[in-house]
Amino acid sequence: MRITRVLSAALLAVGVAAGPAVADSSPSPSASSDSDAPTQAGTSFRTATEIDQGQQATASGSTGDYLYWSFPADAGQRPDVRATVKLPDSHAAQTWQLDVYDGLRRRQACQYGAQTRTAAQGTASVELACVMRTVRAWSEPWANDPLPGTYYIRLTVVDLTSADLGQPVSAELKVGSKDIGGAAAVDGSLAKPLVPGIAVRSESDEDSSSSTKSAVLSSIEPDDGWSSGWWTDRWVWTGIGGVLAALAGIGGYALTRGHGRPRRVPPGA
């Protein structure tokens, strides 16, 4: 009975500990409402419009323009970028493309999604999508793995007739992500996220090398800050495995130790 009570209490503790780990694997909620969502896009990496995950941004432009947005992505997240381009009433066939770059301006591959699509003549809109690879907390310097930091989105037309150049278009963009959890954990973390910055001098101290100011090109970050992969649910499952191993050892000992020394039978009995 004692072994049964111990096993029951341990299994109950395991269930309570596993609860937060299961909850962490659910998709992350929207970062903010659409009431303060941006209504314009940048025209370069330096002027990219900052958006939070969960916001639906809109922008107006002309065919041939480059539209840029930026958003933060942390370790363990798998970003999902989706864009809809509304085209003019009359136009020839044209091809649109959605590209994602990291904080080092390296183009990131999409796991799946229609990153490039061609809108047939007279089509009202075209939808694009890019589901990125899971952001890693650390990677080799030579690798092109997505790392925590700022990501840039570039939306533009890559093939159209000269007659359609400059026609007005509008775009809708939304970035979401799924928290992959401990399955994507790695042994390491970045010292700082890849958020581009630049050092500038004030005009009055132009000749003084000791007076510099730091201007960050991207000020957005996740609501709960940059985790850099210091905690994952892998810690929980490792602890659960240790508890189950200890219980298996206790149960095995209880089943094999016997019930004391056998009683000696006197001779001639």
Side-chain angles (χ1 to χ4, degrees):
M1 293 297 293
R2 180 179 298 176
I3 297 297
T4 303
R5 289 195 298 270
V6 171
L7 289 173
S8 300
L11 291 176
L12 179 60
V14 168
V16 172
V22 174
D24 289 343
S25 63
S26 59
S28 58
S30 298
S32 61
S33 63
D34 293 337
S35 59
D36 56 347
T39 57
Q40 60 182 2
T43 57
S44 67
F45 286 102
R46 292 178 61 88
T47 61
T49 299
E50 298 177 353
I51 62 174
D52 291 321
Q53 293 189 20
Q55 280 187 324
Q56 182 167 343
T58 58
S60 299
S62 303
T63 52
D65 291 344
Y66 287 91
L67 305 179
Y68 286 85
W69 295 269
S70 64
F71 68 95
D74 206 357
Q77 293 182 340
R78 188 173 65 191
D80 184 353
V81 183
R82 299 184 180 273
T84 301
V85 182
K86 297 181 180 179
L87 305 174
D89 296 335
S90 61
H91 64 84
Q94 49 188 252
T95 302
W96 287 79
Q97 183 167 305
L98 180 71
D99 295 310
V100 181
Y101 299 83
D102 65 5
L104 299 178
R105 300 187 185 180
R106 303 176 301 180
R107 185 174 181 271
Q108 292 295 316
C110 301
Q111 275 191 324
Y112 54 87
Q115 186 178 6
T116 303
R117 296 192 68 176
T118 300
Q121 181 177 1
T123 304
S125 63
V126 58
E127 295 183 356
L128 305 168
C130 176
V131 179
M132 297 172 51
R133 295 173 296 167
T134 303
V135 178
R136 295 163 57 90
W138 179 85
S139 178
E140 295 288 349
W142 47 262
N144 194 34
D145 296 323
L147 295 170
T150 301
Y151 283 83
Y152 296 93
I153 303 168
R154 184 178 70 184
L155 177 65
T156 187
V157 62
V158 294
D159 184 20
L160 80 164
T161 62
S162 58
D164 288 336
L165 188 63
Q167 288 194 1
V169 294
S170 61
E172 296 179 356
L173 182 87
K174 189 171 185 179
V175 179
S177 68
K178 181 178 181 181
D179 191 355
I180 304 302
V186 295
D187 296 330
S189 62
L190 296 180
K192 292 183 178 180
L194 299 180
V195 177
I198 181 173
V200 297
R201 297 170 183 245
S202 61
E203 295 181 359
S204 59
D205 300 329
E206 215 169 31
D207 298 331
S208 174
S209 59
S210 61
S211 177
T212 58
K213 296 182 179 180
S214 176
V216 179
L217 295 184
S218 179
S219 60
I220 51 178
E221 65 177 27
D223 290 342
D224 53 354
W226 299 104
S227 66
S228 296
W230 73 273
W231 166 260
T232 67
D233 54 13
R234 182 177 294 185
W235 292 90
V236 176
W237 294 111
T238 300
I240 292 174
V243 171
L244 293 178
L247 293 177
I250 295 173
Y253 173 76
L255 294 175
T256 58
R257 69 175 181 172
H259 300 283
R261 298 177 60 184
R263 186 176 58 182
R264 180 178 297 177
V265 179

